[in-house]
Amino acid sequence: MTATTSPSLLPQLPGLPPLPPPLVDPDLRWLMQARNYAAQSIDPLLRSGAIAVRGSRCLLGSTDGMPEGVRSTTARRRAAHTRQGMVLPAEQALVASAAKHGVSLQGATCYLWPFLSTSAGAALLIQAGCLALVTPELPLPGRLEGELLMAREMAAEAG
């Protein structure tokens, strides 16, 4: 006979909130991780996060931001044209980080929060070998609707 401890019977540490119940749906688990990356974003508009998973293992994660070595200043983040030209969306940063660290995305599932930000990002993930792109079912912002429809079309065509 083995002894197991129910999560509800674990001792509660004073001053800390109780632990949430474990997530049953693995997609939801990974989407919440992508959301955690998005919360670290420096871009006030994008706030995107991405996680690459193969099997039950997280390969790496990323948030949107300036490329490594490029200063992230308040002025650059506030100027829309500069921000759009310099900030990498999370999915593009994920592919670049995978390449830099020698991590293959072949056969991976990519979880993106809150949605794919560009069709170029979808194209990069497809080209890198990702088998599935998973996003939550949230209302799409009008400014990105065309990009997201193009991303869906490419993903469906690539299988």
Side-chain angles (χ1 to χ4, degrees):
M1 183 171 148
T2 60
T4 60
T5 305
S6 160
S8 61
L9 300 179
L10 291 174
Q12 197 64 84
L13 296 175
L16 294 178
L19 292 172
L23 295 173
V24 178
D25 182 1
D27 282 345
L28 182 59
R29 172 186 172 209
W30 295 119
L31 282 172
M32 293 299 100
Q33 288 294 328
R35 187 180 81 171
N36 289 340
Y37 273 93
Q40 299 171 29
S41 170
I42 60 151
D43 188 337
L45 292 178
L46 261 177
R47 299 195 65 81
S48 62
I51 296 278
V53 175
R54 191 179 307 113
S56 61
R57 185 172 158 240
C58 178
L59 301 174
L60 60 127
S62 185
T63 187
D64 54 60
M66 298 285 186
E68 191 173 313
V70 176
R71 283 178 289 125
S72 174
T73 65
T74 304
R76 285 180 171 173
R77 290 191 305 270
R78 286 187 180 158
H81 179 72
T82 304
R83 184 180 63 246
Q84 290 168 356
M86 290 184 160
V87 172
L88 284 175
E91 65 270 18
Q92 293 179 19
L94 182 79
V95 172
S97 182
K100 178 180 179 180
H101 296 291
V103 176
S104 172
L105 296 179
Q106 187 69 39
T109 298
C110 290
Y111 294 88
L112 307 153
W113 185 275
F115 38 72
L116 274 163
S117 54
T118 65
S119 56
L124 280 171
L125 291 171
I126 292 167
Q127 187 66 24
C130 293
L131 290 182
L133 309 177
V134 180
T135 62
E137 293 182 21
L138 297 173
L140 302 178
R143 65 186 168 86
L144 292 177
E145 194 169 338
E147 289 279 330
L148 296 172
L149 291 175
M150 193 180 312
R152 285 183 181 163
E153 180 182 342
M154 283 190 297
E157 192 171 321

